Amino acid sequence: MKKENKSVVFWLLSGCVLLFVMVVVGGITRLTNSGLSMTDWHLVTDTFPPLTEAKWEETFERYKQFPEYQKINIHNDFTLSDYKFIYFWEWFHRFIGRIIGLVFIIPFVYFLIKKRLSSETIKKCIVLLFMGGFQGFLGWFMVKSGLIDNPDVSHFRLSLHLTFAFITFAYTLWVALDLIYPNKTQIHFSLRKLARIALVFLLLQIIYGGFVAGLNAGLIHNHWPLMSDGQLIHDSVFIEQKTLFLNLVEGKSGVQFVHRTMAYVVVGLILALYFKSKKYTLSLPQKKGINTLVVVVFLQFALGVFTLLYHVPLWLGLAHQIMAFFLLTAMTFTLHRFSK
């Protein structure tokens, strides 16, 4: 790494850390059913939570006008204290988003003024800027779907918001890796192709993880390796929706089945990459990337099984999401080392 790039790399990796924190807090927000507690969005006035008891009462009364309270929480002796708890997590999630924006924009302008960025890096950072703004839009687009009639957000929008956060993180890491490893390495094209395929299936698995979360599909068929009633493919996979396609994207059983099955595919592809790599002379970073991938994918697989068996407790659901982040990190690093 060139000495003049160290501060830029530190800046980009700081963004990666903040994106990781953002996803973790987003996971807590989802698992505590806090995502619909803030019923509007303002760039400035929502920066801090209500500062007086009167403001809290006013905000709580506004929340009572929406489906989540009227259809669910009104029956649960839901108090202002309960509301403050769920409000905190949604507010904190949005607050971190604002911090990420500042952490990106201010140093970016500074590095531009100081001419510390190459034209290629500037282009990549502009892409990151748009990705960050679009991610904020996706967050509100998701929340809005739960404020009309249904007291749950669309699982399609939730998955889109989650997956795009992962992609934004991966691209930020990729840009940092371009600066950390400026010199070209030997490219093994067959390994790169297999790593790309593994990344595609990993992203599909993340998408379906969002579907499972959005539909609360982890609360059914809490058995492994078979689904309920000792069936490999439970009958309910085919009967919840009108067509097979809808069952596989909107049915709880179908979505869980795909997520379970895709896990085997991801593990299989990473193992295939590992054993195929044994035929080549690899650099130390390439070896470390593949070895880390194998360890992390098995940890993630085990966490997925236990999360299912124990009916998605908060800590296991969160650990499963965090490990998915680590898996994508290892996948991005490994692919980068086989591509540049």
Side-chain angles (χ1 to χ4, degrees), residues 316-327:
L316 265 178
L318 190 59
H320 188 48
Q321 183 166 309
I322 290 171
M323 194 58 67
F325 216 95
F326 290 154
L327 182 55

Side-chain angles (χ1 to χ4, degrees), residues 194-204 269 328 331-332 335:
L194 187 53
R196 286 175 173 174
I197 294 171
L199 176 60
V200 168
F201 276 92
L202 176 57
L203 289 174
L204 285 173
L269 285 169
L328 181 64
M331 189 76 252
T332 303
L335 179 57

Side-chain angles (χ1 to χ4, degrees), residues 95-148:
F95 182 74
I96 295 171
R98 289 179 169 90
I99 296 298
I100 290 174
L102 292 175
V103 167
F104 183 84
I105 292 171
I106 295 174
F108 180 52
V109 173
Y110 171 81
F111 289 134
L112 280 177
I113 294 172
K114 293 294 184 178
K115 297 181 179 180
R116 300 284 292 277
L117 303 175
S118 66
S119 58
E120 185 179 357
T121 303
I122 290 172
K123 291 175 184 176
K124 293 173 183 175
C125 289
I126 290 173
V127 171
L128 282 173
L129 181 64
F130 279 102
M131 289 177 79
F134 187 59
Q135 177 66 2
F137 164 76
L138 287 177
W140 176 240
F141 183 62
M142 175 190 70
V143 169
K144 194 174 181 181
S145 66
L147 298 177
I148 303 172

Side-chain angles (χ1 to χ4, degrees), residues 9 37 42 46 61 84 92 121 160 164 169 184 215 217 237 245 250 272-273 292 294 317 323-325 328 335:
V9 169
S37 57
H42 302 287
D46 287 342
E61 289 302 317
K84 287 181 179 180
F92 191 39
T121 303
L160 181 61
F164 198 75
F169 165 84
K184 299 293 183 181
L215 292 170
V237 170
F245 175 76
E250 293 187 7
L273 181 63
T292 302
V294 173
M323 194 58 67
F325 216 95
L328 181 64
L335 179 57

Side-chain angles (χ1 to χ4, degrees), residues 180-216:
I180 294 171
Y181 297 102
N183 299 321
K184 299 293 183 181
T185 188
Q186 183 180 2
I187 297 176
H188 304 292
F189 292 99
S190 60
L191 291 178
R192 184 180 69 177
K193 181 179 179 180
L194 187 53
R196 286 175 173 174
I197 294 171
L199 176 60
V200 168
F201 276 92
L202 176 57
L203 289 174
L204 285 173
Q205 180 69 331
I206 291 169
I207 289 170
Y208 263 87
F211 287 176
V212 170
L215 292 170
N216 292 316

Side-chain angles (χ1 to χ4, degrees), residues 132-174:
F134 187 59
Q135 177 66 2
F137 164 76
L138 287 177
W140 176 240
F141 183 62
M142 175 190 70
V143 169
K144 194 174 181 181
S145 66
L147 298 177
I148 303 172
D149 297 312
N150 190 355
D152 287 308
V153 299
S154 161
H155 69 288
F156 291 115
R157 297 188 188 187
L158 183 149
S159 185
L160 181 61
H161 183 51
L162 174 68
T163 305
F164 198 75
F166 275 78
I167 292 172
T168 302
F169 165 84
Y171 186 65
T172 306
L173 178 60
W174 190 277

